[in-house]
Amino acid sequence: MESIIEELLKDFQCGDAMLSPRNFHPKAKHKLPEDKAAEYAAQLHRIGDVNIYFDPQMYTLRTPKSALQSFRYWSTANGDLDARCGDTLTELMKINNRCDTSAIILPSHTAAGIDSDWRKSQQSIINKALEVNGGRPTYATVALNADILRDQSQVDAIVLEVENWDVDGVYIVCEHPNKTYLTDEPLWLLNYLVLIAGLKRTGKKVMAGYGSHQMLILGLAKCDVMFSGSFLNVRRFETSTFEEQDNNSPSRRAVWYYAPKTFSEFKIQTLDLAWQAQQQSSVRPLAMLQTPYPDDRYALPLFRGARPTSTNYGESESFKHYLFCLNKQTAELTRETYDETLAAYRSQLQVAEQLIDVLDKFGIHDRDRNFANSFPVAYQALSSFDQFMGFVMRQEWNRL
């Protein structure tokens, strides 16, 4: 993943990168994970205007991955962040300084509910951070299980609490309902939008972690940054990802192609169907799937006339193409007004829905990552958000 980020940032010459400590397990015993993270951060800084952040990933202290435990801030916490908060944060500040991060992201466990224990823990972490952060920009982490975003009262409680925090911003990560990649719950998606809009209205910056193309909708709530990644476990947040797993047997992975005009992903074998249908039909289904970005060099081999599975498009190209497109789509949906943003997103959804209807007639779809079932969810969340928050967003858009 590190080389993928580096190549993409070289293409963009700017951007935001989130360092994941579970990726820095030292293979050589003489090299500490802190050293590896600092060396990698230095490589990224040399590229250009890159904002680097370090996610502590202390979402669970129960049986954490060994890569996480190898960091000094983790071993300092020793399973109890609240009791050893000061010393843990001191170690965390050291690694942020070594990586020259743009802001410090504070640790937090995944909340099962917004109660007094959560409030006390968050405030204690923030208070200790203010003592050791040297005046650097600081973001509090709000990590939520799926049930919290099903309950508007808890969403409102988070906003009220955050309003009083002495931090520059919030880094928010939310578990998906039923551990799905593309959520099928419009209420969950609506409340995610409402939460981010509410946090923005407190005057703080908001960064969302572990996002996918379904979360492009967060732009409507004026989310500042969304982080995504290669595998599904960095496109959706799941606390168990950070725990040591008993089953370490390798799994067979398919190579996927993200067609941004459809908001859907397709296996390369499915693209072969589109390629053959294009030879026999005037509808040109393969052209419907083609990347709309001429500078997307990662996916171009798929559309030069050869059968897709015969090209050199592999897993690395798949990841780079996905993140490249996500960056482009984010820019397309960044508009001057709330109404322009709403209209742009609705327009893209409508085009995507029409394309998927045509492709489906040729059998060109992959159920696991087809956006067809996600269109109603997106439309419902959009309409509800516009009813509940539209007036406020129109009035405050330029100051958020």
Side-chain angles (χ1 to χ4, degrees):
M1 183 62 189
E2 287 84 357
S3 60
I4 290 172
I5 293 175
E6 197 169 347
E7 186 171 350
L8 285 167
L9 289 173
K10 285 178 180 177
D11 275 355
F12 300 143
Q13 287 297 302
C14 64
D16 301 277
M18 181 69 71
L19 303 187
S20 170
R22 68 190 182 96
N23 291 338
F24 292 110
H25 198 303
K27 294 180 181 178
K29 291 184 179 180
H30 64 275
K31 183 170 286 190
L32 296 172
E34 288 87 354
D35 295 334
K36 293 189 69 175
E39 289 172 6
Y40 180 59
Q43 288 178 309
L44 297 185
H45 280 303
R46 285 193 288 269
I47 291 172
D49 185 16
V50 178
N51 296 311
I52 294 176
Y53 305 90
F54 185 89
D55 181 354
Q57 296 180 340
M58 302 187 82
Y59 303 115
T60 175
L61 300 181
R62 181 184 61 191
T63 62
K65 286 187 177 293
S66 57
L68 292 172
Q69 294 183 74
S70 65
F71 278 86
R72 277 193 291 268
Y73 71 90
W74 260 92
S75 58
T76 300
N78 195 27
D80 193 340
L81 174 60
D82 291 333
R84 300 174 179 86
C85 183
D87 292 338
T88 301
L89 290 176
T90 297
E91 291 297 331
L92 191 58
M93 297 306 156
K94 290 178 183 177
I95 193 167
N96 273 272
N97 289 335
R98 291 191 64 188
C99 294
D100 192 17
T101 56
S102 295
I104 294 162
I105 295 178
L106 301 180
S108 179
H109 65 277
T110 301
I114 307 306
D115 53 20
S116 59
D117 288 340
W118 179 83
R119 292 182 174 91
K120 182 180 178 181
S121 176
Q122 293 288 86
Q123 192 61 65
S124 175
I125 292 169
I126 292 168
N127 290 343
K128 290 291 184 182
L130 293 174
E131 295 175 9
V132 298
N133 69 358
R136 295 184 59 191
T138 300
Y139 282 60
T141 294
V142 174
L144 308 174
N145 75 1
D147 286 335
I148 290 177
L149 287 187
R150 291 169 167 149
D151 183 349
Q152 187 181 346
S153 66
Q154 296 206 66
V155 171
D156 294 340
I158 294 169
V159 174
L160 288 173
E161 192 69 20
V162 170
E163 190 170 16
N164 297 317
W165 289 353
D166 188 8
V167 293
D168 301 277
V170 175
Y171 176 54
I172 183 165
V173 294
C174 304
E175 289 187 333
H176 284 211
N178 306 314
K179 299 183 178 182
T180 54
Y181 176 36
L182 302 175
T183 182
D184 59 359
E185 294 193 15
L187 178 64
W188 183 93
L189 190 57
L190 166 64
N191 283 338
Y192 200 176
L193 283 165
V194 170
L195 175 57
I196 289 181
L199 294 175
K200 287 289 294 181
R201 295 185 70 208
T202 68
K204 294 174 173 60
K205 298 287 186 182
V206 178
M207 302 192 300
Y210 303 90
S212 71
H213 50 286
Q214 189 179 33
M215 297 306 145
L216 288 167
I217 196 174
L218 300 182
L220 199 64
K222 214 66 182 297
C223 183
D224 294 287
V225 179
M226 181 184 76
F227 293 97
S228 185
S230 52
F231 297 108
L232 297 195
N233 63 8
V234 283
R235 298 185 196 172
R236 68 175 175 209
F237 176 68
E238 191 174 322
T239 303
S240 61
T241 300
F242 307 95
E243 297 175 352
E244 203 70 73
Q245 304 296 322
D246 293 331
N247 181 16
N248 293 318
S249 58
S251 59
R252 295 183 61 186
R253 297 195 294 257
V255 176
W256 292 85
Y257 168 76
Y258 174 57
K261 290 186 290 187
T262 70
F263 289 109
S264 297
E265 295 172 81
F266 301 83
K267 293 177 182 176
I268 301 304
Q269 292 85 348
T270 303
L271 292 191
D272 281 356
L273 282 178
W275 173 81
Q276 180 165 301
Q278 188 139 310
Q279 320 300 315
Q280 304 168 351
S281 169
S282 60
V283 177
R284 297 178 60 77
L286 190 63
M288 296 180 184
L289 298 171
Q290 186 167 353
T291 175
Y293 310 116
D295 52 344
D296 181 5
R297 58 189 173 90
Y298 309 110
L300 288 179
L302 293 171
F303 304 97
R304 288 176 175 157
R307 180 166 47 85
T309 52
S310 70
T311 68
N312 62 355
Y313 184 86
E315 189 174 73
S316 176
E317 289 75 23
S318 170
F319 295 153
K320 286 181 279 193
H321 161 72
Y322 179 81
L323 294 171
F324 181 91
C325 290
L326 213 57
N327 182 275
K328 290 284 190 178
Q329 288 181 290
T330 301
E332 290 172 351
L333 293 171
T334 302
R335 302 300 177 98
E336 293 295 321
T337 68
Y338 169 79
D339 284 314
E340 288 176 4
T341 306
L342 179 63
Y345 189 62
R346 274 194 171 135
S347 175
Q348 288 197 12
L349 288 174
Q350 290 163 358
V351 170
E353 198 169 16
Q354 293 167 4
L355 290 173
I356 285 180
D357 285 344
V358 175
L359 292 166
D360 192 57
K361 294 174 183 176
F362 288 87
I364 301 167
H365 55 78
D366 280 295
R367 184 182 62 183
D368 291 344
R369 304 194 190 182
N370 191 332
F371 208 76
N373 293 330
S374 300
F375 288 119
V377 177
Y379 286 129
Q380 288 172 288
L382 279 180
S383 297
S384 294
F385 182 74
D386 191 43
Q387 285 295 313
F388 295 149
M389 298 288 294
F391 178 79
V392 171
M393 297 304 290
R394 288 180 180 91
Q395 297 298 311
E396 301 184 10
W397 187 259
N398 290 331
R399 78 162 188 85
L400 295 179

